[in-house]
Structure formats: C-alpha cells, structure tokens
Amino acid sequence: MDKPLPQPYVEPAFSPFDDRAYPLQYQSRPYGPTADNIPLTQHAPTSGWQEPYAKGRPPFDSTFDEGNTGDGENARADEARKKRRRQRQRRGSIPRGRTPWFVYAMTLVQVTVFLAEIAKNAVLTHSPIMIHPSFSPMIGPSTYVLINMGARFVPCMRSTPGVQDSQTPIQWPCPNTTSSDLSNPSMHCTLSELCGFSGVPNPHVGGKLTDQPQPNQWFRFIVPIFLHAGLIHIAFNMLLQLTLGRDMEKAIGPLRLALVYFSSGIFGFVMGGNFAPSGIASTGASGSLFGVLALTMLDLLYNWNQRSSPGKDLAFLMLDVIISFFLGLLPGLDNFSHIGGFCMGLVLGICLLHSPSLLRERTGEHKASSVDGGLLSFVRHPLAFFQGRKPFWWVWWLFRAGALIGVLASFIVLLNNFYTYRNQCKWCKYLSCLPVRNWCDIGNLHLTTEPATT
C-alpha cells in the first residue's frame, strides 16, 4: 500500500500573504526545540523565539525584515500612491490617459470651416484669399465673404440706427466684390444679399427702427466661434486650443469644458455687439479661448502650493493675456469678445472647479464624507449634502452662487440692451482701440446714398 506523500514544509515567515492557517505539526523541524511531529504548543519558548501568530502575524528571525510584512507592504503602497499623486500635481493635476475628444472635435470642425471659407472666397472672387482691393493681413477671405458666412455683423441681427431709419436708399457691397470703386456693380447689393442665409428684411426709405419685421439673425452670436479671419488667426487660436484647451479638458472633462467654451464665446460676442463699432465683422474662437485661459489661471491659483514652479506658470499666462489684450487694441479688431470671454470663464471657473486646496482644508471639504458622492448622491439625498458644513463653507458657496447669478443677469441685460435699448458707452470704445490716427473710428458704418462701407 502506498504511503501518502509528505506535506511540503512552508515556513510562515516566507509566506506572509497566505491567509490559510498553518498546521500545528510539520513534516520537518518545527520552531523551538528540535523534534519531529510534536505539536508546537508543547514546546517551551526558547530565548529569542515567539510562538507563530502569537500576535496575529508570523514569526521573524534575524534575517527577515519586518518591513516585508503586510503592514510594511501597505505602507510602501501608500507611499507610492502619494508619490504618484505628487507627480500629477507637479504636472498640473492633469490625469494621463484621458483623450480630449471635445478639443479635437472642435479643432477638426473649425479647420474644416476655414477650408470652406477659402473655397467660397475662391469661387466668388477667383482667389482663395483677399488680394483686392487690398491684401488681407490675416491671409484669409474677404470681409464680405465672412459676413455672408455668418460673422457677427450688427445690421444683420437687429434694427440699426442710420439703416432702418435712413431717408435715402443704401447700397451694400456684394460678397463677391473685389473693388473699391463705388460705381462697380459688385458694390450694389441689398442688405439681404450681403447677410445671406435666408436673408433679412431690407430697409426702406423713411422707415423706423420699430418697423416689423426686423433683422434677427441671432445665430451670429454662435456661428462666429467656428469662423476665422485668416491663416494667422486660426493658427494662433488652434495652437492655444491644442495646448491649454487640451490640458484643461483632461483635468475637468469634456462637459464642463464645453460649457465654459461656448458660454465664454457667446458672452464675448454679445458684449462686442453692444460696445464694438457696428460695422465690424467679428469672427473667431478667441472669446472661448480667453475663457479657457481664465480656467487655467484659476486652476493654477487654486493649487499654487502643489505646483513645482507656479510663478513661472503664472508669468506665462499673464504674458499671454496681456499680449492678446494689446493685440485687440489694433484697428478693426474686437477686444470686447476677449474681455467678455475672460469674465465668463472666470465666473464659471469659480462655480465649476473644485474649491482652492487651502479653502477645502479650512472648510473640511478635503475629507471624504458620505455626501461627497457626486451629482447622483446629491439628487438622492439633497439635504444630507448641506448637513454638518462649516460657516466658511456657506460663505464660499454663497459667493459662488452670487457670481453665477451676477453673470447671468449681465447676459440678460446685455441682450436687452442690444435688441431694445441700444444704449452706447462713450468711453468703452477705448478698451478696444487706441486714440491715435482715428483708430477708434474704424469699423463705424459710413452711410451715404452710395454703397455703405465698414
């Protein structure tokens, strides 16, 4: 009859992660006095020896490092996690592996639309870029082609003083014009032909601003986000979008970035429609990207102590903002879109981003709690979210709510002013131009019995 095979000897000290109970008898030597097949509990402890699992863990000898126990492994794992967290913080708290689909999709659409601009300009003017009557400094299509494709142009969006109430007929440049000669047939189009799409009601001589129907191409607050004035314009915007925009999407996700992106762009065009000269055809994602700049600056300030070189990062951002602002002072450019986009991005960043790290520690938000389970947890237990909060937490959240209400109220006021009151700010124009060489008059409509010029 075959004898059973002997059990292999396994010392507990060399298998600290085995959860199974070790047998009291071993086929080889036990710990303690040398003897075979004698229960360990019958041996008296010797000097320097402890009973296995006497304190809930295996015994150790002089060659075994206590740091290799389960507790030591957990400590090293925690330290490794902390190290990885510090590395992410030094990289700007941007998680790896998340693909910025929103930024990539917006870039693809905007580049495609720009190619369509070039193609339409080539069809209408027989040149992919404007070279007559003057060369486009942005290396792009004609201004009138951009108006026809959806640029923000006030006369296409509302009743404009001097247009709907004109006492003489007004001729407008056609989208295909390449001449500055007022007698050229391409300089004799109607407002509806210039605006394009489904057209707008053409003003009639002796009309009033209250005449119905009125021009109402409201979508020109949104469409210009996808249009660009030229190769230089789109190159700078896409460079910023594929760097700061991409990193910000990785940090906050596509939904929040999309909300800030479109809200900043629309708010910027609304502000420009109120304060910029009514003859400027405004295009570009600059307002949206100024909102992203504001988000990036807030993220830097919120996590200042966790960045490896926050001063350098802040200097880079401030330099970018200052250069863009001063470029907006050049004639024919709309700096109000930049200012409006930055303000909207700042307010939405305060509302959407996590609170500053120091503030979270002071209000206790940095500690995990049963109510910090996201939106779904808040919907299921709304009252539990507010229980046990510190007074400073309430102050901060009231400030965030006030900022959001303030920017929404400003948006409504600006829309009402644009469509109804049409009040003008006399000094605001100096935020978008320098008072030299009549730069601040560039972009105003010059209405005569001849074709209107911008």
Side-chain angles (χ1 to χ4, degrees):
M1 183 176 180
D2 296 333
K3 294 182 180 181
L5 296 175
Q7 297 180 6
Y9 173 69
V10 181
E11 294 187 6
F14 293 99
S15 57
F17 304 107
D18 192 349
D19 293 331
R20 295 173 295 178
Y22 288 93
L24 293 179
Q25 295 183 1
Y26 294 92
Q27 299 298 327
S28 182
R29 63 175 181 82
Y31 285 89
T34 58
D36 291 332
N37 302 324
I38 301 177
L40 292 176
T41 54
Q42 297 181 10
H43 291 282
T46 59
S47 177
W49 176 86
Q50 60 181 8
E51 183 179 344
Y53 289 85
K55 296 183 179 180
R57 57 186 181 183
F60 309 101
D61 56 27
S62 59
T63 62
F64 189 74
D65 184 5
E66 189 174 352
N68 289 331
T69 65
D71 294 338
E73 291 290 342
N74 290 335
R76 280 197 297 275
D78 291 340
E79 183 62 30
R81 283 193 293 270
K82 292 178 181 179
K83 183 178 180 181
R84 288 194 297 269
R85 189 180 303 117
R86 288 193 297 268
Q87 290 174 345
R88 287 196 300 268
Q89 290 168 350
R90 285 194 294 269
R91 292 193 298 262
S93 303
I94 298 171
R96 301 292 180 180
R98 176 183 288 176
T99 303
W101 293 114
F102 174 75
V103 167
Y104 290 161
M106 286 299 299
T107 302
L108 178 62
V109 171
Q110 288 162 338
V111 171
T112 302
V113 171
F114 179 71
L115 295 177
E117 296 174 30
I118 297 298
K120 184 167 185 176
N121 197 82
V123 171
L124 294 178
T125 68
H126 308 290
S127 173
I129 63 173
M130 186 178 75
I131 56 177
H132 298 294
S134 61
F135 182 79
S136 170
M138 290 289 183
I139 314 179
S142 163
T143 302
Y144 306 115
V145 170
L146 290 174
I147 293 175
N148 193 253
M149 292 188 68
R152 192 207 67 208
F153 187 60
V154 173
C156 299
M157 304 174 69
R158 70 171 190 194
S159 293
T160 306
V163 177
Q164 271 69 27
D165 57 354
S166 176
Q167 300 302 312
T168 56
I170 301 174
Q171 299 293 330
W172 299 83
C174 300
N176 65 341
T177 185
T178 58
S179 173
S180 59
D181 184 4
L182 298 180
S183 63
N184 191 298
S186 65
M187 294 292 287
H188 294 265
C189 275
T190 63
L191 179 62
S192 182
E193 290 172 327
L194 175 62
C195 294
F197 295 96
S198 58
V200 297
N202 287 311
H204 59 273
V205 177
K208 298 179 180 179
L209 292 177
T210 56
D211 288 347
Q212 299 293 336
Q214 298 184 3
N216 188 26
Q217 292 188 350
W218 55 268
F219 51 84
R220 290 179 182 267
F221 285 135
I222 304 172
V223 174
I225 296 175
F226 302 92
L227 299 171
H228 286 84
L231 184 61
I232 296 177
H233 191 196
I234 193 173
F236 275 105
N237 278 357
M238 295 304 99
L239 176 64
L240 186 62
Q241 185 163 290
L242 290 173
T243 52
L244 293 182
R246 178 200 60 190
D247 292 345
M248 186 52 59
E249 182 177 353
K250 288 183 177 181
I252 67 175
L255 294 181
R256 284 190 286 182
L257 181 67
L259 177 61
V260 173
Y261 191 92
F262 285 110
S263 299
S264 299
I266 294 171
F267 190 80
F269 283 120
V270 170
M271 179 174 283
N274 279 270
F275 302 122
S278 56
I280 288 182
S282 184
T283 60
S286 300
S288 300
L289 294 175
F290 263 81
V292 175
L293 268 174
L295 278 183
T296 306
M297 187 173 296
L298 277 179
D299 181 65
L300 172 62
L301 296 176
Y302 282 8
N303 302 283
W304 185 270
N305 293 332
Q306 300 173 0
R307 297 295 186 98
S308 57
S309 55
K312 180 180 177 181
D313 295 339
L314 181 61
F316 170 77
L317 289 175
M318 290 301 299
L319 181 63
D320 198 356
V321 171
I322 292 173
I323 291 176
S324 299
F325 176 80
F326 277 102
L327 287 177
L329 297 176
L330 295 176
L333 298 182
D334 181 11
N335 214 18
F336 292 104
S337 294
H338 301 168
I339 298 173
F342 188 84
C343 292
M344 177 60 79
L346 202 63
V347 172
L348 290 183
I350 291 174
C351 298
L352 296 177
L353 294 180
H354 286 300
S355 304
S357 56
L358 293 178
L359 185 62
R360 288 170 63 84
E361 293 176 3
R362 184 169 181 177
T363 59
E365 288 184 76
H366 67 292
K367 298 179 181 180
S369 64
S370 59
V371 298
D372 293 334
L375 180 61
L376 183 60
S377 178
F378 173 77
V379 172
R380 290 177 177 176
H381 308 286
L383 295 180
F385 179 80
F386 299 99
Q387 293 176 352
R389 298 295 188 179
K390 296 182 179 181
F392 205 80
W393 182 90
W394 287 98
V395 173
W396 172 242
W397 274 80
L398 287 175
F399 172 76
R400 299 169 90 174
L404 181 60
I405 294 173
V407 77
L408 291 177
S410 299
F411 181 73
I412 295 174
V413 169
L414 288 173
L415 279 179
N416 281 332
N417 185 67
F418 179 80
Y419 283 110
T420 305
Y421 303 110
R422 304 182 184 89
N423 293 326
Q424 295 291 324
C425 173
K426 294 182 179 180
W427 61 267
C428 291
K429 62 182 180 180
Y430 298 113
L431 295 175
S432 188
C433 66
L434 293 175
V436 295
R437 297 183 180 181
N438 296 323
W439 280 7
C440 294
D441 293 331
I442 296 177
N444 293 320
L445 286 174
H446 301 286
L447 301 173
T448 65
T449 56
E450 302 294 340
T453 57
T454 60

